[in-house]
Amino acid sequence: MSNNSAHSVLEHYWGYTLFRPMQEEIINSVLNGNDTIGLLPTGGGKSLTFQVPALMMNGLTVVITPLISLMKDQVDHLKEKGIRAACVHVGITRSESDYIYESCLQGRIKLLYISPERLKNPRFLAWMSRCDLSLFVVDEAHCISQWGYDFRPSYLEIKILREKFPSVPFLALTASATPQVVDDIADKLELRKENRFSLSFNRNNISFLVRHCEIKTEMLLKILKSTKGSCIVYCRSRQKTKEISQILEANGISSTFYHAGLEINDKANRQQQWQDGTIRVMVATTAFGMGIDKPDVRLVVHIDPPSTLEEYYQEAGRAGRDGLDSIAVLLAGKDDKRTFSRRLADAFPPKDFIKKVYEEICRYLSVSMGEGVETVYEFKPEEMCVKYKLPINPVYGAIGILSRAGYFEFAEEMNTRSQIMMTCHRHELYSIDFSEHDENILTSILRHYSGIFADYEYIDEGFLARECSTDTEDIYQTLLRLKRKHVLSYIPHSSSPYLRFTANRVETKRVELSPEIYDDRKAMMEHRLGAMKNFIFDASSCRVAGMLQYFGENFIGRCGKCDYCRSIRPVKAFDCKEFEIKLDYFFNLIAPAKWLEINSLKPYYNQHFEEVCRHIRLMVEKGVLLSDGINISKKKKS
Ligand code: ADP
């Protein structure tokens, strides 16, 4: 395949004959071995810019991407096309990952997707150094920047790749980055004389509209009734997604709702129904959308204002990926102005409060001073807040800041699989007194999961139940019994949030909140919130021009489609001839009365009413019309 040109690879695997703007430039830069940054808007076709070169180069392309669901989707799509791709993530077993690594070493895999956390694993890095690597791709590269709106500390792990594999080039891709963030990406990844390629972020098939209203659901219904086609409605609370969806259904608009708290199957079913057009409107939190490739979304409505233009642009940009005319509407209420200052206060509570939250978390989880590192706790902030009477939103803000400062990691949405590891030695097993039942189950476990003396392994209680001719509840209870006997450690599967201490507990007064962690980030957030607020409440210029300038583009002129541009559309000049013809028509309408009140023409000639009055005077002077100052009448022909 290495001799094939990029075009034939494109046509062979994807069936497309042409590259989209900027794709070819990025691909050429990558094939020339350069470090490259690609900035393409959502839907611009970023994936092909590394998938095509991956197939043309000899070695392995490693793609680092933040979401497991995204990597699984991409790998499935590639496999359908006969492309050898794989992904390793926390949800797969050790033997599965070993098999994938072996396939990569033998050159049977061209694209390997991983999450950044994997780079913390020395075993993985050691394996990588045995691989023939051709390219590292950093997808959603803005996540590496502290200045980005979606900073993920785990992205900083990526730096190690440059250190360990200095000759392998990087391709960093993102759909939303301000110039400062792009510089930071280049800096953090230590890119060498990189090539940057960016496409204008202007999506000229989308009309960006802001609608100020009292009752947002009324406005939403009005908009949905006057438009056609697939739609996403974004709101910020899970509860609201359900309520709004119910209102739409009650008004005869087919709709469903989606948020991160739904069961996996439920999410997949709802997404599918919306994707295939069975359901028109998806009411969702921002958990919905990443990785969804529905080209014909005609309308995206935001019920609540997003916090940043980056978020807004990404979400609104899910409209019209097929290039056809589409609308993005943001509904603004009079209380929304205050929302912005509240969000800042919640995200950055006072430093003393943050320190207090640190102390309370340690107390709540019974972590002693000088201990805790690497321990994991199931942790529901809401329950702690009820117990200690703390306000929930600022507590979430404090947890975010303490995580960034390196005290712990907090994961809210985790569907973890059950894991076990033996805590006693193999020879000790003989001296423990087991019932026959428990011994049978333990024997089965040891037969199927041989690595558990060395490390945690994922297990499947359903599988063990079938093997031992019992039910999953019995397996669960048996594992708990074995855990109590200190035979093994058992982490049952859970979808609960957890907190993992990444450092030992320190004295509260020694909790450090440096300017990079607190003050600088707060100032950044204030700036971003301010830009979003201006976008909504400053109606004095083209909304798209403002947004593009914020993204560092030199956009001159107006989009011609946003509500501002629509409001200042040039009005057609007043045409006297046309007016005289229309006047005949008005007289005919009211023929029996013969007299026509001049003011009754006002609604028809809004902007030109003064000219209408002037022309009427002229016609009276010429003797074509009679007038009593209020009404006019046609002069009878003598
Ligand atoms: P992004 O990651 O930039 O949001 P994707 O890589 O998901 O965009 O691509 C969006 C859609 O565009 C996909 O359906 C993809 O198959 C399609 N696409 C990408 N490149 C081309 C091309 N050259 N010709 C036609 N369709 C393309």
Side-chain angles (χ1 to χ4, degrees):
M1 187 61 68
S2 55
N3 296 334
N4 280 1
S5 73
H7 273 104
S8 52
V9 171
L10 179 73
E11 200 160 352
H12 177 78
Y13 287 101
W14 281 271
Y16 301 146
T17 43
L18 288 174
F19 278 111
R20 286 200 175 150
M22 223 44 103
Q23 280 182 325
E24 212 169 352
E25 288 83 345
I26 297 176
I27 290 171
N28 286 337
S29 166
V30 168
L31 290 175
N32 286 330
N34 297 319
D35 284 341
T36 307
I37 299 186
L39 301 161
L40 298 185
T42 310
K46 284 183 285 302
S47 317
L48 280 187
T49 64
F50 61 84
Q51 290 165 347
V52 169
L55 291 169
M56 298 173 71
M57 295 186 288
N58 284 325
L60 178 72
T61 292
V62 178
V63 187
I64 299 128
T65 179
L67 295 181
I68 296 176
S69 56
L70 272 187
M71 66 170 89
K72 284 203 272 202
D73 272 5
Q74 286 222 4
V75 168
D76 287 347
H77 284 137
L78 291 171
K79 282 184 174 165
E80 278 165 21
K81 298 187 191 320
I83 296 171
R84 290 162 296 153
C87 55
V88 283
H89 51 78
V90 285
I92 65 171
T93 62
R94 175 104 171 240
S95 51
E96 280 171 317
S97 59
D98 283 348
Y99 177 75
I100 292 172
Y101 296 156
E102 193 49 40
S103 306
C104 291
L105 286 177
Q106 290 174 7
R108 280 188 278 127
I109 296 216
K110 294 303 295 175
L111 284 131
L112 178 69
Y113 286 73
I114 61 166
S115 51
E117 285 82 5
R118 184 128 316 238
L119 300 171
K120 273 191 218 164
N121 183 333
R123 193 174 148 255
F124 180 74
L125 291 172
W127 166 80
M128 267 187 135
S129 54
R130 292 167 55 211
C131 269
D132 175 15
L133 299 165
S134 49
L135 176 68
F136 293 134
V137 180
V138 185
D139 203 7
E140 310 289 348
H142 57 272
C143 295
I144 202 171
S145 172
Q146 305 244 17
W147 312 121
Y149 72 101
D150 193 14
F151 171 60
R152 293 169 191 239
S154 59
Y155 257 62
L156 294 173
E157 304 290 335
I158 301 172
K159 285 195 228 176
I160 196 156
L161 292 177
R162 175 98 308 173
E163 210 177 283
K164 291 225 177 248
F165 310 100
S167 61
V168 181
F170 269 106
L171 167 61
L173 294 168
T174 171
S176 82
T178 57
Q180 185 189 23
V181 170
V182 182
D183 286 342
D184 202 26
I185 293 171
D187 195 41
K188 291 274 164 28
L189 294 175
E190 292 175 35
L191 301 186
R192 292 172 291 242
K193 215 169 92 33
E194 90 282 0
N195 290 329
R196 287 185 194 185
F197 298 95
S198 61
L199 207 59
S200 168
F201 277 37
N202 190 10
R203 297 278 308 274
N204 47 24
N205 62 322
I206 303 181
S207 305
F208 286 90
L209 312 176
V210 176
R211 290 275 176 260
H212 294 268
C213 49
E214 295 273 321
I215 303 169
K216 292 188 178 182
T217 41
E218 266 179 18
M219 181 59 99
L220 175 66
L221 282 169
K222 204 168 138 193
I223 294 170
L224 283 168
K225 283 181 179 163
S226 62
T227 50
K228 284 201 171 85
S230 185
C231 168
I232 309 176
V233 175
Y234 279 113
C235 45
R236 286 179 79 94
S237 94
R238 294 179 179 183
Q239 180 60 23
K240 231 184 196 175
T241 59
K242 187 173 171 186
E243 287 166 9
I244 291 180
S245 178
Q246 282 168 345
I247 294 176
L248 298 186
E249 285 278 308
N251 280 276
I253 296 168
S254 78
S255 138
T256 186
F257 64 97
Y258 184 107
H259 55 71
L262 296 175
E263 287 295 319
I264 295 177
N265 288 342
D266 222 2
K267 281 187 198 164
N269 288 340
R270 285 163 195 235
Q271 185 177 320
Q272 190 53 46
Q273 284 182 311
W274 175 78
Q275 192 107 18
D276 64 25
T278 320
I279 283 180
R280 180 183 171 205
V281 183
M282 175 63 90
V283 188
T285 59
T286 54
F288 182 75
M290 236 203 199
I292 285 164
D293 183 18
K294 185 167 168 56
D296 59 349
V297 177
R298 295 275 71 89
L299 174 70
V300 174
V301 182
H302 279 77
I303 294 276
D304 301 309
S307 289
T308 66
L309 277 173
E310 285 95 331
E311 283 165 71
Y312 183 55
Y313 180 80
Q314 261 211 343
E315 288 157 14
R318 293 189 178 123
R321 291 176 76 160
D322 54 8
L324 300 180
D325 276 348
S326 307
I327 307 172
V329 191
L330 200 155
L331 302 184
K334 55 181 188 324
D335 291 340
D336 286 337
K337 261 188 189 164
R338 276 200 299 270
T339 309
F340 289 96
S341 35
R342 205 186 53 238
R343 283 189 198 161
L344 184 70
D346 284 347
F348 290 91
K351 288 184 181 173
D352 284 347
F353 178 83
I354 299 172
K355 292 182 181 188
K356 180 176 148 85
V357 170
Y358 177 75
E359 190 171 301
E360 299 292 41
I361 289 177
C362 293
R363 179 157 72 107
Y364 184 70
L365 299 174
S366 310
V367 177
S368 312
M369 199 62 73
E371 288 177 10
V373 67
E374 287 310 325
T375 42
V376 181
Y377 298 88
E378 190 177 314
F379 177 57
K380 293 187 177 149
E382 285 79 2
E383 287 174 8
M384 180 184 81
C385 288
V386 171
K387 189 165 174 190
Y388 297 154
K389 297 194 175 54
L390 293 167
I392 184 69
N393 288 337
V395 164
Y396 265 104
I399 290 173
I401 292 166
L402 290 163
S403 305
R404 249 175 265 128
Y407 292 99
F408 46 66
E409 242 173 48
F410 175 64
E412 208 175 351
E413 319 283 354
M414 280 301 290
N415 265 312
T416 55
R417 290 168 55 186
S418 307
Q419 298 182 63
I420 53 169
M421 182 174 79
M422 297 302 284
T423 45
C424 69
H425 286 292
R426 201 181 282 271
H427 63 263
E428 284 174 322
L429 284 178
Y430 300 107
S431 52
I432 301 173
D433 193 15
F434 295 112
S435 69
E436 194 184 328
H437 169 271
D438 289 3
E439 192 171 328
N440 279 343
I441 290 179
L442 187 59
T443 312
S444 176
I445 289 173
L446 292 173
R447 185 161 356 109
H448 292 291
Y449 305 101
S450 53
I452 54 174
F453 280 100
D455 203 351
Y456 275 103
E457 276 210 33
Y458 293 104
I459 56 151
D460 178 350
E461 287 92 340
F463 167 75
L464 285 172
R466 284 192 299 279
E467 285 288 293
C468 304
S469 312
T470 178
D471 54 32
T472 46
E473 179 58 24
D474 181 34
I475 298 286
Y476 173 72
Q477 293 301 337
T478 309
L479 288 168
L480 288 183
R481 253 194 319 278
L482 293 172
K483 184 179 173 181
R484 281 195 294 273
K485 283 188 170 172
H486 305 289
V487 173
L488 49 76
S489 163
Y490 173 45
I491 308 172
H493 82 95
S494 128
S495 51
S496 314
Y498 75 82
L499 187 140
R500 182 171 75 89
F501 276 81
T502 44
N504 281 327
R505 179 175 175 185
V506 294
E507 269 182 76
T508 306
K509 64 174 188 285
R510 299 182 65 177
V511 168
E512 222 177 292
L513 302 168
S514 65
E516 297 86 66
I517 296 295
Y518 188 89
D519 309 78
D520 297 355
R521 290 188 62 81
K522 184 174 176 186
M524 251 345 263
M525 182 168 181
E526 206 166 355
H527 170 71
R528 287 210 185 89
L529 287 167
M532 188 71 230
K533 197 168 155 187
N534 268 349
F535 176 85
I536 302 173
F537 294 103
D538 175 5
S540 66
S541 58
C542 167
R543 297 196 191 273
V544 173
M547 189 151 55
L548 293 176
Q549 275 154 19
Y550 175 81
F551 289 125
E553 265 184 51
N554 196 6
F555 181 85
I556 298 164
R558 294 197 300 260
C559 75
K561 287 190 152 185
C562 69
D563 49 337
Y564 171 78
C565 290
R566 285 175 187 218
S567 73
I568 55 150
R569 247 182 214 165
V571 265
K572 222 171 118 214
F574 179 68
D575 181 337
C576 306
K577 281 261 155 15
E578 193 185 290
F579 171 69
E580 285 177 19
I581 296 167
K582 282 223 178 119
L583 198 55
D584 266 348
Y585 161 79
F586 287 123
F587 273 119
N588 287 341
L589 267 184
I590 51 137
K594 297 279 186 268
W595 286 94
L596 176 70
E597 194 183 335
I598 302 171
N599 269 342
S600 68
L601 296 174
K602 214 171 185 172
Y604 303 96
Y605 290 95
N606 245 332
Q607 301 99 329
H608 296 302
F609 191 61
E610 268 184 34
E611 282 155 289
V612 163
C613 296
R614 214 175 304 132
H615 196 68
I616 287 176
R617 273 198 300 277
L618 207 77
M619 289 171 82
V620 173
E621 278 166 22
K622 280 190 188 166
V624 186
L625 291 177
L626 290 174
S627 174
D628 61 2
I630 294 172
N631 303 294
I632 45 174
S633 160
K634 277 204 262 185
K635 195 164 180 189
K636 282 212 182 77
K637 291 193 179 95
S638 49

